[in-house]
Amino acid sequence: FAGKGIKKRYKKISQKEIEKRALKISIAAIKYSMLKQHPNKNIIFNKKEALNFEGDTGPYLLYSYARANSILKKSNAKISSKTKDLEQKEIELMKELSKFPETIINSCKSLNPSGIANYSYHLAQVFNEFYHSCPVLNSENESFRLSLVAAFKQVLKNSFDLLGIEALDEM
């Protein structure tokens, strides 16, 4: 099922690479689907829902990570923390990124990984809103926005590491 999604997006990719990516996406889908649930709840696993590339799923998170990676690879500009005026979506992304340490502490204290999983999903949503509202490449604030993309990528990677999910640089 994940392989079909990859084939649809990438026409020139080897079967071996499709299988490799599909396995990672499938594992991420299963892990995320389980870990996003509170430990005291019954879990009903729906394969089709878990493998969806949109919504509160592991593949959606992997896709967001791969998008950030792609932006960083395409840019020739240097990352900088300097900017003129901040857009609302830039501020929202910075605020969400700043919540990561507290999220980890709370998840550890409660022995509940769903806090990290749900934070990751919300962070990806905020990042995608930022990406759609604020052009990164070739913009006046490209260097600063690249720093936000790099910060998002790092925080999401850290979340993946805590959840046992392997990040994909390309979907």
Side-chain angles (χ1 to χ4, degrees):
F1 191 77
K4 288 179 185 176
I6 295 168
K7 277 185 183 178
K8 205 184 299 183
R9 286 174 173 73
Y10 303 98
K11 303 295 182 204
K12 297 180 180 179
I13 189 170
S14 72
Q15 186 61 33
K16 185 177 179 180
E17 186 62 27
I18 289 172
E19 290 171 9
K20 181 178 154 187
R21 290 182 193 182
L23 178 61
K24 288 180 181 182
I25 291 167
S26 298
I27 291 170
I30 293 167
K31 285 183 178 183
Y32 181 78
S33 181
M34 300 295 185
L35 292 171
K36 74 179 183 177
Q37 306 298 325
H38 192 279
N40 295 333
K41 288 176 107 181
N42 290 333
I43 298 172
I44 298 171
F45 182 74
N46 180 329
K47 178 177 81 171
K48 190 172 183 179
E49 188 178 296
L51 284 167
N52 196 337
F53 280 73
E54 295 176 11
D56 191 5
T57 65
Y60 173 78
L61 295 178
L62 290 175
Y63 182 75
S64 298
Y65 180 88
R67 171 178 279 164
N69 190 60
S70 175
I71 293 168
L72 293 171
K73 282 174 69 174
K74 287 178 184 175
S75 174
N76 294 326
K78 292 183 179 175
I79 293 175
S80 169
S81 61
K82 295 179 184 177
T83 187
K84 294 179 183 174
D85 296 317
L86 291 175
E87 298 284 334
Q88 183 62 36
K89 294 298 180 186
E90 292 169 321
I91 294 168
E92 289 173 16
L93 181 55
M94 289 188 296
K95 284 182 179 178
E96 196 61 32
L97 289 165
S98 73
K99 294 176 185 175
F100 184 62
E102 183 181 349
T103 299
I104 303 237
I105 290 167
N106 291 337
S107 287
C108 287
K109 283 181 181 177
S110 64
L111 301 174
N112 182 1
S114 69
I116 297 168
N118 292 314
Y119 166 81
S120 300
Y121 172 63
H122 187 68
L123 176 63
Q125 284 182 308
V126 172
F127 169 75
N128 284 309
E129 289 171 9
F130 154 77
Y131 174 76
H132 290 295
S133 297
C134 303
V136 176
L137 300 175
N138 303 314
S139 70
E140 186 178 310
N141 291 324
E142 180 177 7
S143 295
F144 174 72
R145 290 179 179 168
L146 285 170
S147 70
L148 287 178
V149 173
F152 162 77
K153 182 182 168 194
Q154 184 60 60
V155 169
L156 191 59
K157 172 74 167 84
N158 292 346
S159 293
F160 286 162
D161 289 346
L162 291 168
L163 297 171
I165 294 172
E166 189 175 344
L168 280 173
D169 288 339
E170 292 181 301
M171 288 289 282

mmCIF file of all heavy atoms in Angstrom, residues 68 71-72 75 77-91 93-94 97 127 130-153:
data_model
loop_
_atom_site.group_PDB
_atom_site.id
_atom_site.type_symbol
_atom_site.label_atom_id
_atom_site.label_comp_id
_atom_site.label_asym_id
_atom_site.label_seq_id
_atom_site.Cartn_x
_atom_site.Cartn_y
_atom_site.Cartn_z
ATOM 1 N N ALA A 68 11.002 19.311 4.446
ATOM 2 C CA ALA A 68 11.987 20.217 5.063
ATOM 3 C C ALA A 68 13.380 19.906 4.525
ATOM 4 O O ALA A 68 14.149 20.816 4.195
ATOM 5 C CB ALA A 68 11.946 20.091 6.583
ATOM 6 N N ILE A 71 13.746 21.280 0.979
ATOM 7 C CA ILE A 71 13.930 22.741 0.967
ATOM 8 C C ILE A 71 15.383 23.081 1.271
ATOM 9 O O ILE A 71 16.003 23.904 0.597
ATOM 10 C CB ILE A 71 12.999 23.421 1.994
ATOM 11 C CG1 ILE A 71 11.541 23.269 1.578
ATOM 12 C CG2 ILE A 71 13.362 24.897 2.165
ATOM 13 C CD1 ILE A 71 10.552 23.644 2.674
ATOM 14 N N LEU A 72 15.935 22.446 2.278
ATOM 15 C CA LEU A 72 17.318 22.734 2.679
ATOM 16 C C LEU A 72 18.305 22.325 1.594
ATOM 17 O O LEU A 72 19.296 23.020 1.357
ATOM 18 C CB LEU A 72 17.638 22.043 4.006
ATOM 19 C CG LEU A 72 16.871 22.581 5.216
ATOM 20 C CD1 LEU A 72 17.087 21.689 6.421
ATOM 21 C CD2 LEU A 72 17.259 24.019 5.525
ATOM 22 N N SER A 75 18.384 24.909 -1.442
ATOM 23 C CA SER A 75 18.833 26.272 -1.178
ATOM 24 C C SER A 75 20.353 26.394 -1.231
ATOM 25 O O SER A 75 21.075 25.503 -0.805
ATOM 26 C CB SER A 75 18.358 26.719 0.195
ATOM 27 O OG SER A 75 18.912 27.977 0.494
ATOM 28 N N ALA A 77 21.499 29.455 -0.054
ATOM 29 C CA ALA A 77 21.678 30.512 0.937
ATOM 30 C C ALA A 77 22.179 29.926 2.255
ATOM 31 O O ALA A 77 21.963 28.755 2.558
ATOM 32 C CB ALA A 77 20.364 31.251 1.160
ATOM 33 N N LYS A 78 22.816 30.778 3.023
ATOM 34 C CA LYS A 78 23.277 30.378 4.350
ATOM 35 C C LYS A 78 22.154 30.593 5.349
ATOM 36 O O LYS A 78 21.347 31.505 5.215
ATOM 37 C CB LYS A 78 24.493 31.201 4.750
ATOM 38 C CG LYS A 78 25.709 30.898 3.908
ATOM 39 C CD LYS A 78 26.903 31.674 4.381
ATOM 40 C CE LYS A 78 28.106 31.306 3.512
ATOM 41 N NZ LYS A 78 29.265 32.099 3.822
ATOM 42 N N ILE A 79 22.138 29.762 6.361
ATOM 43 C CA ILE A 79 21.136 29.873 7.413
ATOM 44 C C ILE A 79 21.536 31.025 8.326
ATOM 45 O O ILE A 79 22.697 31.184 8.682
ATOM 46 C CB ILE A 79 21.035 28.547 8.194
ATOM 47 C CG1 ILE A 79 20.462 27.465 7.278
ATOM 48 C CG2 ILE A 79 20.203 28.711 9.445
ATOM 49 C CD1 ILE A 79 20.427 26.091 7.890
ATOM 50 N N SER A 80 20.540 31.833 8.698
ATOM 51 C CA SER A 80 20.795 32.995 9.550
ATOM 52 C C SER A 80 19.615 33.207 10.476
ATOM 53 O O SER A 80 18.479 32.885 10.148
ATOM 54 C CB SER A 80 20.995 34.242 8.683
ATOM 55 O OG SER A 80 21.003 35.398 9.477
ATOM 56 N N SER A 81 19.881 33.779 11.635
ATOM 57 C CA SER A 81 18.800 34.087 12.571
ATOM 58 C C SER A 81 18.334 35.531 12.429
ATOM 59 O O SER A 81 17.495 35.993 13.184
ATOM 60 C CB SER A 81 19.261 33.817 14.003
ATOM 61 O OG SER A 81 20.373 34.637 14.306
ATOM 62 N N LYS A 82 18.878 36.251 11.464
ATOM 63 C CA LYS A 82 18.506 37.650 11.258
ATOM 64 C C LYS A 82 17.337 37.746 10.284
ATOM 65 O O LYS A 82 17.309 37.086 9.261
ATOM 66 C CB LYS A 82 19.696 38.434 10.703
ATOM 67 C CG LYS A 82 20.846 38.516 11.673
ATOM 68 C CD LYS A 82 22.008 39.272 11.078
ATOM 69 C CE LYS A 82 23.180 39.247 12.040
ATOM 70 N NZ LYS A 82 24.340 39.911 11.485
ATOM 71 N N THR A 83 16.396 38.620 10.625
ATOM 72 C CA THR A 83 15.250 38.880 9.758
ATOM 73 C C THR A 83 14.761 40.293 9.994
ATOM 74 O O THR A 83 15.101 40.912 10.993
ATOM 75 C CB THR A 83 14.112 37.866 9.996
ATOM 76 O OG1 THR A 83 13.099 38.076 9.022
ATOM 77 C CG2 THR A 83 13.527 37.986 11.375
ATOM 78 N N LYS A 84 13.950 40.779 9.098
ATOM 79 C CA LYS A 84 13.386 42.122 9.250
ATOM 80 C C LYS A 84 12.109 42.033 10.077
ATOM 81 O O LYS A 84 12.124 42.213 11.270
ATOM 82 C CB LYS A 84 13.135 42.745 7.881
ATOM 83 C CG LYS A 84 14.430 42.997 7.121
ATOM 84 C CD LYS A 84 14.167 43.580 5.763
ATOM 85 C CE LYS A 84 15.506 43.730 5.041
ATOM 86 N NZ LYS A 84 15.354 44.155 3.685
ATOM 87 N N ASP A 85 11.026 41.744 9.448
ATOM 88 C CA ASP A 85 9.742 41.625 10.136
ATOM 89 C C ASP A 85 9.305 40.174 10.117
ATOM 90 O O ASP A 85 9.438 39.495 9.108
ATOM 91 C CB ASP A 85 8.686 42.478 9.430
ATOM 92 C CG ASP A 85 9.017 43.959 9.482
ATOM 93 O OD1 ASP A 85 9.432 44.422 10.556
ATOM 94 O OD2 ASP A 85 8.868 44.634 8.453
ATOM 95 N N LEU A 86 8.756 39.728 11.239
ATOM 96 C CA LEU A 86 8.292 38.346 11.324
ATOM 97 C C LEU A 86 6.842 38.237 10.876
ATOM 98 O O LEU A 86 6.007 39.056 11.235
ATOM 99 C CB LEU A 86 8.421 37.826 12.752
ATOM 100 C CG LEU A 86 9.833 37.624 13.272
ATOM 101 C CD1 LEU A 86 9.790 37.224 14.740
ATOM 102 C CD2 LEU A 86 10.553 36.572 12.466
ATOM 103 N N GLU A 87 6.572 37.201 10.110
ATOM 104 C CA GLU A 87 5.204 36.866 9.723
ATOM 105 C C GLU A 87 4.572 36.062 10.864
ATOM 106 O O GLU A 87 5.269 35.407 11.646
ATOM 107 C CB GLU A 87 5.211 36.004 8.449
ATOM 108 C CG GLU A 87 5.812 36.676 7.239
ATOM 109 C CD GLU A 87 4.885 37.703 6.617
ATOM 110 O OE1 GLU A 87 3.653 37.572 6.767
ATOM 111 O OE2 GLU A 87 5.406 38.644 6.001
ATOM 112 N N GLN A 88 3.256 36.081 10.942
ATOM 113 C CA GLN A 88 2.540 35.363 11.997
ATOM 114 C C GLN A 88 2.874 33.870 11.991
ATOM 115 O O GLN A 88 3.079 33.271 13.040
ATOM 116 C CB GLN A 88 1.027 35.572 11.853
ATOM 117 C CG GLN A 88 0.213 34.924 12.959
ATOM 118 C CD GLN A 88 0.531 35.483 14.336
ATOM 119 O OE1 GLN A 88 0.802 36.668 14.488
ATOM 120 N NE2 GLN A 88 0.518 34.627 15.332
ATOM 121 N N LYS A 89 2.963 33.262 10.824
ATOM 122 C CA LYS A 89 3.248 31.822 10.740
ATOM 123 C C LYS A 89 4.681 31.509 11.183
ATOM 124 O O LYS A 89 4.945 30.420 11.692
ATOM 125 C CB LYS A 89 2.995 31.291 9.323
ATOM 126 C CG LYS A 89 1.531 31.351 8.908
ATOM 127 C CD LYS A 89 0.658 30.494 9.798
ATOM 128 C CE LYS A 89 -0.792 30.557 9.380
ATOM 129 N NZ LYS A 89 -1.676 29.853 10.309
ATOM 130 N N GLU A 90 5.593 32.442 11.001
ATOM 131 C CA GLU A 90 6.966 32.250 11.496
ATOM 132 C C GLU A 90 6.966 32.242 13.022
ATOM 133 O O GLU A 90 7.615 31.397 13.653
ATOM 134 C CB GLU A 90 7.881 33.366 10.982
ATOM 135 C CG GLU A 90 8.117 33.325 9.488
ATOM 136 C CD GLU A 90 8.804 34.566 8.963
ATOM 137 O OE1 GLU A 90 8.501 35.687 9.427
ATOM 138 O OE2 GLU A 90 9.658 34.417 8.066
ATOM 139 N N ILE A 91 6.224 33.162 13.605
ATOM 140 C CA ILE A 91 6.118 33.252 15.064
ATOM 141 C C ILE A 91 5.483 31.984 15.623
ATOM 142 O O ILE A 91 5.959 31.422 16.613
ATOM 143 C CB ILE A 91 5.308 34.504 15.474
ATOM 144 C CG1 ILE A 91 6.083 35.773 15.093
ATOM 145 C CG2 ILE A 91 4.982 34.501 16.963
ATOM 146 C CD1 ILE A 91 5.274 37.054 15.176
ATOM 147 N N LEU A 93 5.478 29.001 14.344
ATOM 148 C CA LEU A 93 6.419 27.882 14.249
ATOM 149 C C LEU A 93 7.486 27.973 15.341
ATOM 150 O O LEU A 93 7.809 26.972 15.983
ATOM 151 C CB LEU A 93 7.058 27.826 12.859
ATOM 152 C CG LEU A 93 8.047 26.693 12.615
ATOM 153 C CD1 LEU A 93 7.432 25.318 12.910
ATOM 154 C CD2 LEU A 93 8.562 26.735 11.171
ATOM 155 N N MET A 94 8.001 29.160 15.581
ATOM 156 C CA MET A 94 8.998 29.318 16.641
ATOM 157 C C MET A 94 8.423 28.957 18.005
ATOM 158 O O MET A 94 9.081 28.286 18.808
ATOM 159 C CB MET A 94 9.546 30.748 16.654
ATOM 160 C CG MET A 94 10.448 31.053 15.476
ATOM 161 S SD MET A 94 11.278 32.656 15.579
ATOM 162 C CE MET A 94 9.912 33.784 15.532
ATOM 163 N N LEU A 97 8.113 25.151 18.218
ATOM 164 C CA LEU A 97 9.431 24.542 18.397
ATOM 165 C C LEU A 97 9.910 24.672 19.844
ATOM 166 O O LEU A 97 10.530 23.759 20.391
ATOM 167 C CB LEU A 97 10.453 25.182 17.450
ATOM 168 C CG LEU A 97 10.297 24.842 15.966
ATOM 169 C CD1 LEU A 97 11.111 25.799 15.108
ATOM 170 C CD2 LEU A 97 10.691 23.398 15.704
ATOM 171 N N PHE A 127 4.288 23.588 10.812
ATOM 172 C CA PHE A 127 5.322 23.740 9.790
ATOM 173 C C PHE A 127 4.705 23.829 8.397
ATOM 174 O O PHE A 127 5.091 24.681 7.594
ATOM 175 C CB PHE A 127 6.323 22.573 9.833
ATOM 176 C CG PHE A 127 7.244 22.558 8.643
ATOM 177 C CD1 PHE A 127 8.283 23.473 8.544
ATOM 178 C CD2 PHE A 127 7.057 21.649 7.613
ATOM 179 C CE1 PHE A 127 9.125 23.487 7.432
ATOM 180 C CE2 PHE A 127 7.897 21.655 6.502
ATOM 181 C CZ PHE A 127 8.927 22.566 6.422
ATOM 182 N N PHE A 130 3.162 27.150 7.867
ATOM 183 C CA PHE A 130 4.252 28.111 7.638
ATOM 184 C C PHE A 130 4.755 28.006 6.199
ATOM 185 O O PHE A 130 4.884 29.012 5.493
ATOM 186 C CB PHE A 130 5.396 27.850 8.630
ATOM 187 C CG PHE A 130 6.749 28.295 8.157
ATOM 188 C CD1 PHE A 130 7.111 29.638 8.180
ATOM 189 C CD2 PHE A 130 7.664 27.371 7.681
ATOM 190 C CE1 PHE A 130 8.368 30.054 7.735
ATOM 191 C CE2 PHE A 130 8.915 27.771 7.242
ATOM 192 C CZ PHE A 130 9.263 29.112 7.266
ATOM 193 N N TYR A 131 5.004 26.789 5.761
ATOM 194 C CA TYR A 131 5.547 26.548 4.424
ATOM 195 C C TYR A 131 4.615 27.083 3.333
ATOM 196 O O TYR A 131 5.066 27.641 2.336
ATOM 197 C CB TYR A 131 5.789 25.046 4.243
ATOM 198 C CG TYR A 131 6.212 24.651 2.861
ATOM 199 C CD1 TYR A 131 7.514 24.887 2.419
ATOM 200 C CD2 TYR A 131 5.318 24.044 1.976
ATOM 201 C CE1 TYR A 131 7.908 24.526 1.134
ATOM 202 C CE2 TYR A 131 5.709 23.683 0.705
ATOM 203 C CZ TYR A 131 7.004 23.925 0.292
ATOM 204 O OH TYR A 131 7.387 23.580 -0.978
ATOM 205 N N HIS A 132 3.318 26.910 3.518
ATOM 206 C CA HIS A 132 2.353 27.377 2.520
ATOM 207 C C HIS A 132 2.160 28.895 2.559
ATOM 208 O O HIS A 132 1.867 29.504 1.536
ATOM 209 C CB HIS A 132 1.004 26.666 2.681
ATOM 210 C CG HIS A 132 1.063 25.226 2.278
ATOM 211 N ND1 HIS A 132 1.306 24.812 0.990
ATOM 212 C CD2 HIS A 132 0.929 24.090 3.010
ATOM 213 C CE1 HIS A 132 1.316 23.495 0.934
ATOM 214 N NE2 HIS A 132 1.093 23.027 2.144
ATOM 215 N N SER A 133 2.338 29.497 3.724
ATOM 216 C CA SER A 133 2.128 30.939 3.869
ATOM 217 C C SER A 133 3.368 31.777 3.604
ATOM 218 O O SER A 133 3.262 32.935 3.212
ATOM 219 C CB SER A 133 1.633 31.260 5.282
ATOM 220 O OG SER A 133 0.406 30.663 5.526
ATOM 221 N N CYS A 134 4.525 31.222 3.877
ATOM 222 C CA CYS A 134 5.777 31.973 3.810
ATOM 223 C C CYS A 134 6.758 31.288 2.858
ATOM 224 O O CYS A 134 7.418 30.323 3.259
ATOM 225 C CB CYS A 134 6.414 32.067 5.194
ATOM 226 S SG CYS A 134 5.368 32.800 6.459
ATOM 227 N N PRO A 135 6.857 31.757 1.633
ATOM 228 C CA PRO A 135 7.832 31.145 0.715
ATOM 229 C C PRO A 135 9.232 31.183 1.319
ATOM 230 O O PRO A 135 9.633 32.198 1.880
ATOM 231 C CB PRO A 135 7.754 32.031 -0.530
ATOM 232 C CG PRO A 135 6.458 32.767 -0.421
ATOM 233 C CD PRO A 135 6.154 32.883 1.031
ATOM 234 N N VAL A 136 9.932 30.091 1.218
ATOM 235 C CA VAL A 136 11.264 30.008 1.816
ATOM 236 C C VAL A 136 12.332 30.328 0.775
ATOM 237 O O VAL A 136 13.092 31.287 0.934
ATOM 238 C CB VAL A 136 11.513 28.609 2.429
ATOM 239 C CG1 VAL A 136 12.929 28.496 2.972
ATOM 240 C CG2 VAL A 136 10.485 28.315 3.514
ATOM 241 N N LEU A 137 12.369 29.552 -0.279
ATOM 242 C CA LEU A 137 13.408 29.711 -1.287
ATOM 243 C C LEU A 137 13.195 30.990 -2.091
ATOM 244 O O LEU A 137 12.078 31.310 -2.485
ATOM 245 C CB LEU A 137 13.442 28.499 -2.213
ATOM 246 C CG LEU A 137 13.718 27.163 -1.516
ATOM 247 C CD1 LEU A 137 13.618 26.018 -2.506
ATOM 248 C CD2 LEU A 137 15.078 27.167 -0.845
ATOM 249 N N ASN A 138 14.281 31.707 -2.295
ATOM 250 C CA ASN A 138 14.284 32.954 -3.074
ATOM 251 C C ASN A 138 13.411 34.055 -2.476
ATOM 252 O O ASN A 138 12.972 34.944 -3.185
ATOM 253 C CB ASN A 138 13.873 32.698 -4.530
ATOM 254 C CG ASN A 138 14.776 31.684 -5.193
ATOM 255 O OD1 ASN A 138 15.994 31.752 -5.071
ATOM 256 N ND2 ASN A 138 14.173 30.731 -5.882
ATOM 257 N N SER A 139 13.145 33.995 -1.183
ATOM 258 C CA SER A 139 12.373 35.051 -0.533
ATOM 259 C C SER A 139 13.335 36.064 0.080
ATOM 260 O O SER A 139 14.530 35.806 0.221
ATOM 261 C CB SER A 139 11.460 34.474 0.552
ATOM 262 O OG SER A 139 12.224 34.013 1.646
ATOM 263 N N GLU A 140 12.805 37.200 0.467
ATOM 264 C CA GLU A 140 13.608 38.245 1.101
ATOM 265 C C GLU A 140 14.226 37.745 2.408
ATOM 266 O O GLU A 140 15.331 38.117 2.765
ATOM 267 C CB GLU A 140 12.721 39.467 1.368
ATOM 268 C CG GLU A 140 13.473 40.667 1.885
ATOM 269 C CD GLU A 140 12.551 41.857 2.071
ATOM 270 O OE1 GLU A 140 11.794 42.176 1.127
ATOM 271 O OE2 GLU A 140 12.588 42.448 3.162
ATOM 272 N N ASN A 141 13.493 36.891 3.116
ATOM 273 C CA ASN A 141 13.958 36.349 4.397
ATOM 274 C C ASN A 141 14.404 34.888 4.272
ATOM 275 O O ASN A 141 14.235 34.108 5.201
ATOM 276 C CB ASN A 141 12.852 36.460 5.447
ATOM 277 C CG ASN A 141 12.573 37.888 5.838
ATOM 278 O OD1 ASN A 141 13.489 38.707 5.900
ATOM 279 N ND2 ASN A 141 11.323 38.206 6.095
ATOM 280 N N GLU A 142 14.962 34.530 3.139
ATOM 281 C CA GLU A 142 15.318 33.139 2.884
ATOM 282 C C GLU A 142 16.229 32.560 3.965
ATOM 283 O O GLU A 142 15.986 31.467 4.470
ATOM 284 C CB GLU A 142 15.983 32.981 1.513
ATOM 285 C CG GLU A 142 16.367 31.545 1.203
ATOM 286 C CD GLU A 142 16.952 31.356 -0.184
ATOM 287 O OE1 GLU A 142 17.195 32.350 -0.895
ATOM 288 O OE2 GLU A 142 17.159 30.183 -0.563
ATOM 289 N N SER A 143 17.262 33.269 4.342
ATOM 290 C CA SER A 143 18.217 32.746 5.328
ATOM 291 C C SER A 143 17.550 32.458 6.663
ATOM 292 O O SER A 143 17.775 31.407 7.277
ATOM 293 C CB SER A 143 19.369 33.726 5.533
ATOM 294 O OG SER A 143 20.111 33.853 4.359
ATOM 295 N N PHE A 144 16.722 33.396 7.114
ATOM 296 C CA PHE A 144 16.024 33.195 8.377
ATOM 297 C C PHE A 144 15.036 32.036 8.278
ATOM 298 O O PHE A 144 14.961 31.189 9.167
ATOM 299 C CB PHE A 144 15.293 34.474 8.800
ATOM 300 C CG PHE A 144 14.449 34.278 10.025
ATOM 301 C CD1 PHE A 144 15.037 34.120 11.271
ATOM 302 C CD2 PHE A 144 13.067 34.222 9.932
ATOM 303 C CE1 PHE A 144 14.266 33.921 12.404
ATOM 304 C CE2 PHE A 144 12.289 34.018 11.050
ATOM 305 C CZ PHE A 144 12.886 33.876 12.294
ATOM 306 N N ARG A 145 14.287 31.990 7.195
ATOM 307 C CA ARG A 145 13.297 30.920 7.034
ATOM 308 C C ARG A 145 13.963 29.558 6.906
ATOM 309 O O ARG A 145 13.428 28.552 7.369
ATOM 310 C CB ARG A 145 12.379 31.222 5.856
ATOM 311 C CG ARG A 145 11.451 32.389 6.171
ATOM 312 C CD ARG A 145 10.540 32.754 5.055
ATOM 313 N NE ARG A 145 9.680 33.869 5.473
ATOM 314 C CZ ARG A 145 8.943 34.567 4.661
ATOM 315 N NH1 ARG A 145 8.893 34.271 3.363
ATOM 316 N NH2 ARG A 145 8.213 35.562 5.111
ATOM 317 N N LEU A 146 15.134 29.536 6.308
ATOM 318 C CA LEU A 146 15.892 28.283 6.255
ATOM 319 C C LEU A 146 16.268 27.826 7.664
ATOM 320 O O LEU A 146 16.275 26.629 7.951
ATOM 321 C CB LEU A 146 17.142 28.430 5.397
ATOM 322 C CG LEU A 146 16.919 28.460 3.888
ATOM 323 C CD1 LEU A 146 18.210 28.845 3.177
ATOM 324 C CD2 LEU A 146 16.389 27.131 3.372
ATOM 325 N N SER A 147 16.573 28.788 8.536
ATOM 326 C CA SER A 147 16.898 28.419 9.914
ATOM 327 C C SER A 147 15.679 27.809 10.606
ATOM 328 O O SER A 147 15.819 26.867 11.395
ATOM 329 C CB SER A 147 17.449 29.605 10.704
ATOM 330 O OG SER A 147 16.452 30.566 10.954
ATOM 331 N N LEU A 148 14.490 28.318 10.304
ATOM 332 C CA LEU A 148 13.270 27.726 10.861
ATOM 333 C C LEU A 148 13.042 26.317 10.321
ATOM 334 O O LEU A 148 12.664 25.410 11.066
ATOM 335 C CB LEU A 148 12.052 28.601 10.540
ATOM 336 C CG LEU A 148 11.907 29.907 11.307
ATOM 337 C CD1 LEU A 148 10.677 30.661 10.823
ATOM 338 C CD2 LEU A 148 11.818 29.653 12.798
ATOM 339 N N VAL A 149 13.277 26.141 9.026
ATOM 340 C CA VAL A 149 13.122 24.816 8.418
ATOM 341 C C VAL A 149 14.114 23.836 9.044
ATOM 342 O O VAL A 149 13.756 22.701 9.378
ATOM 343 C CB VAL A 149 13.301 24.888 6.882
ATOM 344 C CG1 VAL A 149 13.319 23.491 6.267
ATOM 345 C CG2 VAL A 149 12.192 25.726 6.250
ATOM 346 N N ALA A 150 15.352 24.274 9.218
ATOM 347 C CA ALA A 150 16.377 23.409 9.819
ATOM 348 C C ALA A 150 16.019 23.067 11.263
ATOM 349 O O ALA A 150 16.200 21.921 11.705
ATOM 350 C CB ALA A 150 17.743 24.088 9.750
ATOM 351 N N ALA A 151 15.499 24.038 12.004
ATOM 352 C CA ALA A 151 15.096 23.785 13.394
ATOM 353 C C ALA A 151 13.937 22.793 13.441
ATOM 354 O O ALA A 151 13.933 21.864 14.257
ATOM 355 C CB ALA A 151 14.709 25.096 14.072
ATOM 356 N N PHE A 152 12.958 22.978 12.559
ATOM 357 C CA PHE A 152 11.833 22.040 12.483
ATOM 358 C C PHE A 152 12.334 20.629 12.188
ATOM 359 O O PHE A 152 11.949 19.667 12.851
ATOM 360 C CB PHE A 152 10.834 22.468 11.401
ATOM 361 C CG PHE A 152 9.911 21.358 10.983
ATOM 362 C CD1 PHE A 152 8.847 20.986 11.780
ATOM 363 C CD2 PHE A 152 10.131 20.661 9.802
ATOM 364 C CE1 PHE A 152 8.005 19.947 11.413
ATOM 365 C CE2 PHE A 152 9.299 19.622 9.425
ATOM 366 C CZ PHE A 152 8.229 19.261 10.239
ATOM 367 N N LYS A 153 13.192 20.522 11.199
ATOM 368 C CA LYS A 153 13.718 19.213 10.798
ATOM 369 C C LYS A 153 14.428 18.540 11.973
ATOM 370 O O LYS A 153 14.229 17.348 12.228
ATOM 371 C CB LYS A 153 14.662 19.377 9.607
ATOM 372 C CG LYS A 153 15.228 18.077 9.097
ATOM 373 C CD LYS A 153 16.196 18.304 7.945
ATOM 374 C CE LYS A 153 16.946 17.009 7.673
ATOM 375 N NZ LYS A 153 18.100 17.189 6.836
#
